Amino acid sequence: MTEREGAAPKGGAAHLDDETISATHAVMICRGGRVIIDDEKSQNGTKLNGEEVMSKVDVADGDVISLGLRTRLICRLLDHAKVAALWKPGA
């Protein structure tokens, strides 16, 4: 699964209302139990736990992702089986 994060992502699931975020700012890849983030050559950068993301880097539960100058996301990695057990359609 790939998610594009940005102000106007193409085919992505996340739209963030922040003018300091590029239209396609970063990409997150979920594969084989790993989550990886990479900056998409954005103008205002992507940081993971305060460190500039210069290439693909692993994301861990509790990590802080900074996009642009103001947006901060806290990563929560969930076990799919546990989420499925908790999720109740129509609830």
Side-chain angles (χ1 to χ4, degrees), residues 26-55:
V27 64
M28 291 183 76
I29 303 162
C30 302
R31 187 175 297 132
R34 293 175 60 198
V35 177
I36 299 166
I37 190 165
D38 195 10
D39 186 73
E40 294 279 280
K41 299 179 180 145
S42 64
Q43 183 174 352
N44 291 313
T46 301
K47 292 182 180 178
L48 181 66
N49 299 321
E51 297 291 325
E52 199 75 33
V53 173
M54 304 303 284
S55 61

Side-chain angles (χ1 to χ4, degrees), residues 23-91:
T24 306
H25 195 94
V27 64
M28 291 183 76
I29 303 162
C30 302
R31 187 175 297 132
R34 293 175 60 198
V35 177
I36 299 166
I37 190 165
D38 195 10
D39 186 73
E40 294 279 280
K41 299 179 180 145
S42 64
Q43 183 174 352
N44 291 313
T46 301
K47 292 182 180 178
L48 181 66
N49 299 321
E51 297 291 325
E52 199 75 33
V53 173
M54 304 303 284
S55 61
K56 292 177 181 161
V57 62
D58 284 292
V59 178
D61 187 60
D63 281 352
V64 177
I65 299 167
S66 303
L67 303 171
L69 302 177
R70 292 192 291 272
T71 299
R72 305 291 175 267
L73 308 170
I74 298 173
C75 184
R76 293 290 179 226
L77 303 179
L78 304 173
D79 180 293
H80 289 287
K82 289 179 184 176
V83 171
L86 293 172
W87 184 70
K88 296 180 177 124

